[in-house]
Amino acid sequence: MSLTKKLILGTAQFGQNYGITNVTGKVSAVEIKSIFKNARSNQINTLDTASSYGDSEKVLGNIGISDFDVITKLPSIGSSTSKIYENYENVIVSSLKDLKVSCIETVLLHRPEELLSFYGDAIYDALRKLKDRGLVNRIGISIYSPELLEDINPKYLFDVIQVPLNVFDRRIISSGWLTRLSQMGVSVIARSVFLQGILLSQVNDLPAYFSQWRPHFKQWIEFYQGNGLSALEASLQFILQVPEIDKIIVGIESDRQLTEVVRAINNPVIIKSNHLETADLDLISPVHWPF
């Protein structure tokens, strides 16, 4: 299998300004068309979006993505606990209309911790019903921490789980959950592989908040430069060496970026980078960042 088939196009930037290192803003329709032309030529056929990503789904529908497998996410149900299935159905039907596709390949819960509430069974039943009706092919969750799986996994079974994974953040591996999920036949998708772009940046170019980890960034730079790699290549090669990972989401802002990613992923090398792992949530978990 071509390694590029493991790639998923992250589309948050197509409908909004996303990522602390994003200096170009929302991607133009012309650029998006070029990105998808490039993706098709490189056998990339999956995209990741959400109704909460601004007008991303409408933008995608207008350029035509019917030949792509779509991953989208359901928002928090908030206080709307009385008609959970109806609310989810409305979101999916709206997404189908905006995306101009007949079926969503994978739908994920964006707030899976809601499964631990008193209406968790109703949420799971609603997801199963969406699948049974053929509106979606697979159901799953997008998690921020593997600790959540300790409570969710005994009660609910999913087809897909999306997890953060990068050279700094290896919690899904060190917790043992990646091995367990693979043994259960769950498809695991890696996201945040560039940690919202900070792994591809110089620490001096980042907000002052990150200066407290200057020594760790120095180790990272010395590591990839010492192996004759770019930050992009080293970030992707680390993920490629984790066999339990089925797919990798990469946020793309330009056709040029996608070309660089394809080039990086098609030149596999073996690198050892265990010393770069950190459990410091203030660094590896964007929900802890003060912006």
Side-chain angles (χ1 to χ4, degrees), residues 59-119:
V59 170
L60 291 167
N62 288 335
I63 68 167
I65 47 85
S66 60
D67 54 332
F68 277 73
D69 289 336
V70 176
I71 300 170
T72 193
K73 303 171 197 73
L74 291 168
S76 167
I77 63 171
S79 60
S80 304
T81 60
S82 60
K83 296 183 178 180
I84 293 175
Y85 174 74
E86 289 82 357
N87 292 334
Y88 280 173
E89 181 185 37
N90 288 339
V91 172
I92 293 299
V93 169
S94 177
S95 290
L96 290 170
K97 180 180 178 182
D98 288 343
L99 291 163
K100 299 179 182 178
V101 296
S102 58
C103 179
I104 301 293
E105 174 59 28
T106 304
V107 65
L108 306 174
L109 289 180
H110 224 164
R111 294 286 302 277
E113 63 271 18
E114 292 182 330
L115 287 165
L116 304 180
S117 67
F118 70 90
Y119 44 85

